[in-house]
Amino acid sequence: MRLEYMSRTIFAVAALSLMLVAGPLFAQDPQELAKVTELPNAALPPDLDRVLRDYERAWRAGDAKAIASLFTEDGVLLQNYRSPIRGRPAIQAVYEDARGSPLQLRALAYAAGDTVGYIVGGYRYGDASHDIGKFTITLQRSPGKPWLISSDMDSMNV
């Protein structure tokens, strides 16, 4: 009888503990979670800004070769729901059937040294009032040469 009482007590304590831990999760308002909080733009130096503007132009034109040319020879593309894609030919192949659209890229943060840098940003299309996704672009260059994308990782906000 005593063992049965202890088992029930342990079960009750475990169940109560689970409810206390999980309660705040269920109490969250889904609409509150969906609200978009945008970070302010970061002003890029011209040589970094060129990377984003060239990307936008190539994307809008649906020019897969121009997009791929922005990457290093062994650059990596990391997209939602896809395995990593490495190299200009493979990156170009991904975008061959892409139609142009009014992509807008904006920087949220960046850093750059002599040969390595990065841009963290958001993206949207057309007249959208907020970003629908975010990205990180890592950059490489030889001294005195233009920046090239060594990796581009993006993901949707929703």
Side-chain angles (χ1 to χ4, degrees):
M1 195 58 110
R2 186 151 173 87
L3 185 58
E4 184 178 320
Y5 175 75
M6 283 180 49
S7 295
R8 286 184 186 170
T9 303
I10 290 171
F11 178 75
V13 169
L16 180 60
S17 297
L18 183 59
M19 286 189 292
L20 290 173
V21 170
L25 294 175
F26 295 114
Q28 292 179 2
D29 180 1
Q31 290 182 353
E32 189 70 29
L33 294 174
K35 285 186 180 175
V36 175
T37 303
E38 293 209 346
L39 299 175
N41 291 352
L44 293 175
D47 58 341
L48 293 176
D49 190 60
R50 178 209 47 90
V51 176
L52 297 186
R53 300 315 133 223
D54 287 352
Y55 203 110
E56 286 175 338
R57 274 190 290 283
W59 185 273
R60 289 174 183 164
D63 189 340
K65 185 174 184 176
I67 293 172
S69 74
L70 298 172
F71 285 78
T72 60
E73 286 294 331
D74 63 345
V76 178
L77 181 61
L78 303 164
Q79 297 177 316
N80 281 327
Y81 314 112
R82 284 194 159 172
S83 296
I85 298 143
R86 182 183 299 276
R88 283 183 183 159
I91 292 167
Q92 181 175 338
V94 166
Y95 291 121
E96 281 298 336
D97 295 327
R99 295 185 181 100
S101 60
L103 175 67
Q104 295 179 41
L105 302 172
R106 67 188 195 95
L108 304 174
Y110 74 94
D114 290 335
T115 59
V116 178
Y118 70 84
I119 302 170
V120 175
Y123 64 90
R124 61 185 75 183
Y125 292 96
D127 296 331
S129 62
H130 61 277
D131 296 336
I132 63 163
K134 61 245 174 227
F135 66 86
T136 60
I137 294 177
T138 54
L139 303 163
Q140 289 181 311
R141 70 175 172 182
S142 298
K145 299 285 185 179
W147 289 106
L148 294 173
I149 300 168
S150 59
S151 73
D152 176 3
M153 179 186 298
D154 62 75
S155 64
M156 301 295 289
N157 285 345
V158 179

